[in-house]
Amino acid sequence: MADVEYEHFVDWDKMGELAQSGGPSKLDCKDLGDLKQAARQGLWSKSHRLRAQVYQQLIKAIPCRTVTPDAEVYRDIVGKVVGKRAPATLPLPEFVDGSPVPKLCLNAEGVAAAHKIIACVASQFPDISYCPALPAAVALLLHFSRDEADCFEKICRILACNEPGRRLLDQTFLAYESSCMTFGDLANKYCPSAHRLIVSAAAQDVMEVYSDWLRWVFGDLPLAHAARVLDVFLVEGYKVLFRVALALLKFFRRMRSGPPQEVADLRGEIRAFARGIGSCVSPDKLLEKAFAIRLFSRKEIRLLQLANEKSLQQKGITVKQKRQNVHLAVNPETFSSEVVSAKEMRDIWAWVPERFALCQPHLLFTTAEHGCSLNRFYSHCEGHEPTLLLIRTTDREVCGAYLSTDWEERRRGGGKLSFFGTGECFVFRLKPEMERYEWVVIRHPELAAAAPPQNPETPEDPNTLPAKEGNSDPTDRLSPFLSARHFNLNTRNTSMFMAGSQESIIIGGGDGNALYIDADLNHGRTARCHTFDNQPLCAEAFQIALLEVWGFQDAMAS
């Protein structure tokens, strides 16, 4: 049954269960914790009227700029902005980047109202340069607004939020692009199976696929799912969108079970899945999956976002331009390695943090040319961060490691074998099978509390990786993604993955895998520190046939 107060813009015949008026008639939650739980459980999703009232309450509480356009401003300017043009023919501003107003059960009047509201927002916010999520946000809020002016005021308060550290809608290309890169980093970490599928099956650039992540949530999801996401988003903020997009990616990978298959348009396939998700995944299941992702924090997102923004700024990418294909950084016509093929290097490139996606591999050291001196290895690699280590054994196994930190850091140990590095480091195997191994605590946080403390300066057990210092509660631990010195963090928050001395190199990897290389660079061994591993990195003791180290050269500068 239509709610008379909110019936103007909605085609109620298409609303289904969303038109119901069951559940509680008012919301008594005042504590933030209770409000979060109520939002996640969908407490106000049973009543259209109650949901509208809750949105009004939540949006009114958003701290905003001193002068924020309100409903009265809309009534004053709408006639001047729209003029005599038919509202439905009003062009959307360039900053939405071609994103249309999604129907989401809106009637013709609702779609026309959305165009008018967006035009008025553009007139009042000249500082917005890129906001493709705006049409979907307006379409959603129209369902729960008494009139156009009410919806205009709601969206203006969201855009004008000035609470420190709180992020709602991206309004610049730099912010949006860095969020896409951040989502790529998170997908690489939390959805490795889906990430491998995209890397191996995508006909286009991987980041072209990930650039749609926000459109999956605000634009492609059906109204019932999008409204539940908006419930939680207005309470908990931007990180919810990342969680939901990751959950959607996990469900997509489950639907597309089996080995990767070459497809013409994986990007379109994921968006089509999001649009049709109602047939296989309920809103409750989507949110349940989203909040089941462990060790996922707002701090982690913020640090990744800062790092990716800094990388884009350093490359001069602050306004929209034609995206450079990530895979072009590994040009098969110019790339040459005696350890891996261009295709294998491209696959490895998809594992590295997205802020290095516009870099190209540059050979720093190879035992074939520079010999097997560890001192020469250090001299060629020092001054480069990050680097990529590749090894081919005499048994033709291929493994390696991504190293986030400059080898010069080893000097801080005063000649002792001391660990350094960050949680972005990982080890991997390419042959006989391709697999990446993350830090053990990422996938098995319970081991952090169970592992006995060790002195990283003198690791006695070569089969055990150094334990991370700090709070024993894994849910309160700083993300190991980023380097401490980039953000003025205490060194005890820095993860320890790399160690180097005159006698050996040690790279402590994830899922229990660790890589050891002797001083002559001819022999190595791998160790696993926990029994849950199915396969080691490669043979427990191996002889090195060839070792290469690659740096990351700025493709824009070159």
Side-chain angles (χ1 to χ4, degrees):
M1 178 182 295
D3 190 318
V4 176
E5 194 171 5
Y6 304 99
E7 69 178 351
H8 313 293
F9 310 116
V10 179
D11 187 342
W12 287 92
D13 293 335
K14 297 180 180 178
M15 289 283 283
E17 294 183 357
L18 290 175
Q20 64 190 350
S21 300
S25 59
K26 66 176 184 177
L27 185 71
D28 295 324
C29 300
K30 294 183 180 179
D31 178 76
L32 180 60
D34 293 339
L35 199 59
K36 282 184 178 182
Q37 188 158 352
R40 293 187 186 188
Q41 292 175 349
L43 188 64
W44 53 76
S45 65
K46 306 297 183 185
S47 168
H48 191 91
R49 176 182 291 272
L50 177 59
R51 185 178 246 155
Q53 292 171 354
V54 172
Y55 284 4
Q56 184 78 14
Q57 174 186 327
L58 292 174
I59 294 173
K60 271 288 187 184
I62 295 175
C64 293
R65 304 172 189 170
T66 304
V67 180
T68 298
D70 58 13
E72 288 302 318
V73 169
Y74 181 81
R75 296 186 183 100
D76 289 341
I77 67 172
V78 64
K80 299 174 185 177
V81 173
V82 176
K84 297 182 179 180
R85 292 173 293 180
T89 65
L90 283 172
L92 294 175
E94 288 188 9
F95 63 66
V96 305
D97 194 31
S99 298
V101 175
K103 290 294 182 66
L104 294 175
C105 302
L106 293 178
N107 56 26
E109 184 181 352
V111 174
H115 279 255
K116 291 166 65 177
I117 293 166
I118 294 169
C120 290
V121 167
S123 73
Q124 296 297 301
F125 289 83
D127 53 329
I128 296 179
S129 59
Y130 199 77
C131 189
L134 182 62
V138 170
L140 274 170
L141 289 173
L142 265 174
H143 288 79
F144 310 100
S145 302
R146 294 184 177 89
D147 53 31
E148 294 172 15
D150 183 31
C151 182
F152 172 83
E153 181 172 325
K154 284 185 172 74
I155 198 68
C156 285
R157 291 193 66 82
I158 290 173
L159 291 169
C161 173
N162 63 357
E163 182 178 345
R166 188 173 182 180
R167 189 186 188 105
L168 292 176
L169 291 183
D170 294 326
Q171 299 173 45
T172 66
F173 181 74
L174 177 64
Y176 181 84
E177 188 76 349
S178 65
S179 74
C180 293
M181 295 170 68
T182 298
F183 181 76
D185 286 325
L186 295 172
N188 191 353
K189 174 183 176 184
Y190 292 105
C191 303
S193 177
H195 184 72
R196 283 196 299 270
L197 170 68
I198 292 171
V199 169
S200 58
Q204 61 266 90
D205 173 12
V206 172
M207 275 306 293
E208 288 287 352
V209 177
Y210 287 146
S211 68
D212 288 331
W213 79 274
L214 196 54
R215 287 184 173 95
W216 302 343
V217 180
F218 283 156
D220 290 335
L221 282 180
L223 177 60
H225 294 68
R228 286 294 304 280
V229 173
L230 188 60
D231 293 345
V232 189
F233 168 71
L234 290 176
V235 176
E236 300 191 43
Y238 201 77
K239 73 169 185 177
V240 169
L241 306 183
F242 283 113
R243 282 188 173 276
V244 172
L246 290 172
L248 194 149
L249 199 58
K250 286 176 178 287
F251 279 118
F252 173 77
R253 181 63 183 99
R254 182 185 300 175
M255 179 274 295
R256 228 177 173 281
S257 58
Q261 302 171 6
E262 190 66 32
V263 292
D265 185 18
L266 189 65
R267 184 181 184 182
E269 194 174 313
I270 296 176
R271 294 194 64 186
F273 174 76
R275 288 191 289 269
I277 196 172
S279 63
C280 56
V281 180
S282 68
D284 285 331
K285 286 293 184 184
L286 182 64
L287 289 180
E288 182 182 330
K289 175 71 75 174
F291 287 103
I293 301 173
R294 303 187 65 183
L295 291 178
F296 188 94
S297 68
R298 184 180 287 107
K299 183 181 289 185
E300 174 179 334
I301 294 171
R302 181 173 60 84
L303 293 181
L304 281 173
Q305 196 96 22
L306 286 172
N308 287 324
E309 282 185 4
K310 182 178 179 181
S311 174
L312 289 168
Q313 287 173 327
Q314 288 174 341
K315 294 178 173 64
I317 303 174
T318 57
V319 296
K320 182 170 173 58
Q321 54 189 273
K322 182 176 175 60
R323 185 188 298 274
Q324 178 171 345
N325 192 306
V326 173
H327 292 160
L328 289 181
V330 184
N331 189 332
E333 296 181 2
T334 58
F335 175 77
S336 177
S337 166
E338 295 185 58
V339 178
V340 298
S341 66
K343 166 63 169 63
E344 289 169 331
M345 185 62 114
R346 188 198 75 174
D347 292 340
I348 297 170
W349 223 246
W351 281 335
V352 306
E354 291 297 343
R355 61 187 178 279
F356 300 111
L358 295 180
C359 296
Q360 59 184 346
H362 171 64
L363 186 62
L364 301 175
F365 175 86
T366 171
T367 52
E369 179 181 346
H370 302 109
C372 297
S373 165
L374 187 55
N375 284 331
R376 195 171 297 162
F377 169 93
Y378 288 138
S379 67
H380 279 78
C381 298
E382 285 180 1
H384 296 274
E385 179 181 311
T387 53
L388 193 70
L389 177 73
L390 299 175
I391 294 172
R392 190 183 75 230
T393 74
T394 53
D395 292 330
R396 307 202 66 80
E397 293 179 303
V398 176
C399 64
Y402 170 78
L403 306 170
S404 64
T405 305
D406 191 337
W407 278 107
E408 191 171 10
E409 291 289 311
R410 78 187 191 284
R411 299 181 185 275
R412 295 189 178 187
K416 296 180 180 180
L417 189 65
S418 59
F419 280 85
F420 54 95
T422 77
E424 283 188 319
C425 292
F426 59 86
V427 293
F428 58 86
R429 181 183 68 236
L430 289 182
K431 295 177 182 177
E433 293 180 0
M434 190 173 182
E435 187 64 56
R436 179 187 61 159
Y437 298 93
E438 296 178 294
W439 183 35
V440 66
V441 178
I442 292 294
R443 292 188 180 175
H444 300 271
E446 69 278 0
L447 295 173
Q454 298 178 44
N455 182 352
E457 299 291 333
T458 56
E460 297 180 358
D461 184 355
N463 292 322
T464 305
L465 299 185
K468 185 169 185 274
E469 298 179 10
N471 196 325
S472 61
D473 179 4
T475 62
D476 193 38
R477 184 176 289 109
L478 177 70
S479 165
F481 259 125
L482 302 171
S483 175
R485 66 181 178 281
H486 291 162
F487 300 98
N488 298 318
L489 301 176
N490 191 296
T491 53
R492 69 192 182 95
N493 288 327
T494 308
S495 308
M496 296 170 290
F497 291 84
M498 305 163 58
S501 67
Q502 297 304 312
E503 288 74 36
S504 65
I505 292 171
I506 302 177
I507 302 165
D511 269 14
N513 275 288
L515 178 64
Y516 299 78
I517 302 173
D518 295 337
D520 59 6
L521 301 186
N522 281 320
H523 297 86
R525 55 196 172 97
T526 60
R528 294 176 294 159
C529 63
H530 296 291
T531 58
F532 55 77
D533 286 321
N534 294 322
Q535 300 178 37
L537 188 64
C538 62
E540 291 188 5
F542 58 85
Q543 187 170 353
I544 297 174
L546 189 63
L547 182 149
E548 294 178 346
V549 180
W550 293 80
F552 289 69
Q553 186 175 30
D554 191 338
M556 304 290 287
S558 62

